[in-house]
Amino acid sequence: MISHFAEVVGSMALLVGGVATLAWGWVPAWFRSSVRRPVLFGWAQLILAAALIAYLGGDLLTNTPHLGLAVKASAVVVELFGFWLVDLADRKPRHR
């Protein structure tokens, strides 16, 4: 029960953080020294929040267990894409 509550609170924090990063360029204090591309970091937060919400709601949104498993598996793939975007946001952009 506590882990579900933590996942819901975490997804809402990612959602609010992504909107704040995209709208105002705000990055949380513990990421300020490493994030070099705040816009990409904001999109990564929104993608991670959407994937976490889809993962949590996979069973609630579907009536069949196989479709719920497919939704959860696709949410994991989207989460991996979001983590890759976070990694790209930490890297220095290439200059020619």
Side-chain angles (χ1 to χ4, degrees), residues 11-72:
S11 64
M12 293 300 125
L14 280 170
L15 191 66
V16 169
V19 169
T21 302
L22 287 176
W24 299 288
W26 178 81
V27 177
W30 52 90
F31 287 121
R32 285 187 191 138
S33 63
S34 64
V35 171
R36 304 246 164 92
R37 300 182 207 172
V39 173
L40 190 61
F41 185 73
W43 282 111
Q45 283 183 321
L46 288 179
I47 288 172
L48 285 170
L52 190 56
I53 290 169
Y55 186 82
L56 292 173
D59 291 333
L60 299 174
L61 297 174
T62 61
N63 292 333
T64 60
H66 297 296
L67 190 58
L69 183 63
V71 168
K72 285 187 175 189

Side-chain angles (χ1 to χ4, degrees), residues 37 40-41 44 81-92:
R37 300 182 207 172
L40 190 61
F41 185 73
F81 177 69
F83 287 131
W84 179 68
L85 285 180
V86 169
D87 184 48
L88 284 180
D90 288 347
R91 293 182 187 174
K92 187 181 277 189

